[in-house]
Short mmCIF file of all heavy atoms in Angstrom, two decimals:
data_model
loop_
_atom_site.label_atom_id
_atom_site.label_comp_id
_atom_site.label_asym_id
_atom_site.label_seq_id
_atom_site.Cartn_x
_atom_site.Cartn_y
_atom_site.Cartn_z
N LEU K 14 11.72 8.36 -11.87
CA LEU K 14 10.73 7.52 -11.20
C LEU K 14 10.89 7.61 -9.68
O LEU K 14 9.92 7.78 -8.95
CB LEU K 14 10.87 6.06 -11.64
CG LEU K 14 10.36 5.72 -13.03
CD1 LEU K 14 10.77 4.31 -13.42
CD2 LEU K 14 8.86 5.88 -13.09
N ARG K 15 12.12 7.50 -9.22
CA ARG K 15 12.37 7.57 -7.78
C ARG K 15 12.07 8.97 -7.24
O ARG K 15 11.51 9.12 -6.16
CB ARG K 15 13.80 7.18 -7.45
CG ARG K 15 14.07 7.14 -5.96
CD ARG K 15 15.33 6.38 -5.65
NE ARG K 15 15.57 6.40 -4.24
CZ ARG K 15 15.29 5.39 -3.42
NH1 ARG K 15 14.75 4.29 -3.89
NH2 ARG K 15 15.54 5.48 -2.14
N PHE K 16 12.44 9.99 -7.99
CA PHE K 16 12.20 11.37 -7.57
C PHE K 16 10.71 11.59 -7.33
O PHE K 16 10.29 12.07 -6.27
CB PHE K 16 12.73 12.32 -8.65
CG PHE K 16 12.77 13.77 -8.26
CD1 PHE K 16 13.90 14.31 -7.68
CD2 PHE K 16 11.67 14.60 -8.47
CE1 PHE K 16 13.94 15.66 -7.32
CE2 PHE K 16 11.70 15.94 -8.12
CZ PHE K 16 12.84 16.47 -7.54
N VAL K 17 9.90 11.23 -8.32
CA VAL K 17 8.45 11.40 -8.18
C VAL K 17 7.91 10.45 -7.12
O VAL K 17 7.13 10.86 -6.24
CB VAL K 17 7.74 11.17 -9.54
CG1 VAL K 17 6.22 11.15 -9.37
CG2 VAL K 17 8.15 12.25 -10.54
N SER K 18 8.31 9.20 -7.16
CA SER K 18 7.80 8.20 -6.21
C SER K 18 8.07 8.61 -4.77
O SER K 18 7.18 8.49 -3.91
CB SER K 18 8.44 6.84 -6.49
OG SER K 18 8.03 5.90 -5.53
N ASN K 19 9.27 9.08 -4.50
CA ASN K 19 9.59 9.50 -3.14
C ASN K 19 8.67 10.62 -2.67
O ASN K 19 8.18 10.61 -1.54
CB ASN K 19 11.04 9.93 -3.02
CG ASN K 19 11.99 8.76 -2.97
OD1 ASN K 19 11.58 7.60 -2.92
ND2 ASN K 19 13.28 9.05 -3.03
N HIS K 20 8.43 11.60 -3.52
CA HIS K 20 7.56 12.71 -3.14
C HIS K 20 6.11 12.26 -2.96
O HIS K 20 5.44 12.67 -2.00
CB HIS K 20 7.67 13.85 -4.14
CG HIS K 20 8.95 14.61 -4.00
ND1 HIS K 20 9.13 15.60 -3.07
CD2 HIS K 20 10.13 14.50 -4.66
CE1 HIS K 20 10.36 16.08 -3.15
NE2 HIS K 20 10.99 15.41 -4.11
N VAL K 21 5.62 11.41 -3.86
CA VAL K 21 4.26 10.88 -3.74
C VAL K 21 4.14 10.08 -2.43
O VAL K 21 3.20 10.27 -1.66
CB VAL K 21 3.89 10.00 -4.96
CG1 VAL K 21 2.57 9.28 -4.73
CG2 VAL K 21 3.85 10.83 -6.23
N SER K 22 5.11 9.23 -2.19
CA SER K 22 5.08 8.34 -1.01
C SER K 22 5.21 9.11 0.29
O SER K 22 4.50 8.83 1.26
CB SER K 22 6.19 7.30 -1.10
OG SER K 22 6.00 6.48 -2.23
N ILE K 23 6.13 10.06 0.34
CA ILE K 23 6.35 10.82 1.58
C ILE K 23 5.10 11.63 1.94
O ILE K 23 4.67 11.65 3.10
CB ILE K 23 7.60 11.71 1.47
CG1 ILE K 23 8.86 10.83 1.49
CG2 ILE K 23 7.64 12.75 2.59
CD1 ILE K 23 10.13 11.57 1.09
N ARG K 24 4.51 12.27 0.95
CA ARG K 24 3.29 13.06 1.23
C ARG K 24 2.17 12.14 1.71
O ARG K 24 1.47 12.46 2.66
CB ARG K 24 2.87 13.83 -0.02
CG ARG K 24 1.66 14.74 0.25
CD ARG K 24 1.37 15.61 -0.97
NE ARG K 24 0.33 16.58 -0.68
CZ ARG K 24 -0.97 16.36 -0.83
NH1 ARG K 24 -1.40 15.19 -1.29
NH2 ARG K 24 -1.85 17.29 -0.54
N PHE K 25 2.01 10.99 1.05
CA PHE K 25 0.96 10.05 1.44
C PHE K 25 1.22 9.54 2.86
O PHE K 25 0.30 9.46 3.68
CB PHE K 25 0.90 8.89 0.44
CG PHE K 25 -0.22 7.93 0.70
CD1 PHE K 25 -1.54 8.36 0.82
CD2 PHE K 25 0.03 6.57 0.79
CE1 PHE K 25 -2.58 7.46 1.04
CE2 PHE K 25 -1.00 5.67 1.01
CZ PHE K 25 -2.30 6.11 1.14
N GLN K 26 2.46 9.21 3.15
CA GLN K 26 2.83 8.75 4.50
C GLN K 26 2.46 9.79 5.54
O GLN K 26 1.88 9.47 6.58
CB GLN K 26 4.33 8.45 4.54
CG GLN K 26 4.84 8.05 5.90
CD GLN K 26 6.36 7.87 5.91
OE1 GLN K 26 7.01 7.90 4.88
NE2 GLN K 26 6.90 7.68 7.09
N GLN K 27 2.76 11.05 5.27
CA GLN K 27 2.44 12.12 6.22
C GLN K 27 0.93 12.28 6.39
O GLN K 27 0.45 12.49 7.52
CB GLN K 27 3.07 13.43 5.75
CG GLN K 27 4.59 13.41 5.84
CD GLN K 27 5.23 14.60 5.14
OE1 GLN K 27 4.63 15.26 4.29
NE2 GLN K 27 6.49 14.86 5.48
N LEU K 28 0.19 12.20 5.31
CA LEU K 28 -1.27 12.31 5.39
C LEU K 28 -1.87 11.16 6.20
O LEU K 28 -2.78 11.37 7.01
CB LEU K 28 -1.88 12.36 3.99
CG LEU K 28 -1.56 13.60 3.16
CD1 LEU K 28 -1.99 13.41 1.71
CD2 LEU K 28 -2.20 14.84 3.77
N LEU K 29 -1.35 9.95 6.00
CA LEU K 29 -1.85 8.80 6.76
C LEU K 29 -1.48 8.91 8.24
O LEU K 29 -2.30 8.62 9.12
CB LEU K 29 -1.29 7.49 6.19
CG LEU K 29 -1.86 7.01 4.87
CD1 LEU K 29 -1.19 5.71 4.45
CD2 LEU K 29 -3.36 6.84 4.93
N GLU K 30 -0.24 9.32 8.50
CA GLU K 30 0.20 9.44 9.89
C GLU K 30 -0.63 10.46 10.65
O GLU K 30 -0.85 10.30 11.85
CB GLU K 30 1.69 9.77 9.95
CG GLU K 30 2.55 8.56 9.60
CD GLU K 30 4.03 8.85 9.56
OE1 GLU K 30 4.44 10.02 9.71
OE2 GLU K 30 4.80 7.89 9.36
#
Side-chain angles (χ1 to χ4, degrees):
L14 285 171
R15 184 164 178 100
F16 190 91
V17 172
S18 176
N19 283 354
H20 285 278
V21 171
S22 298
I23 289 168
R24 184 174 187 271
F25 185 54
Q26 176 184 352
Q27 292 169 341
L28 293 169
L29 287 180
E30 286 176 354

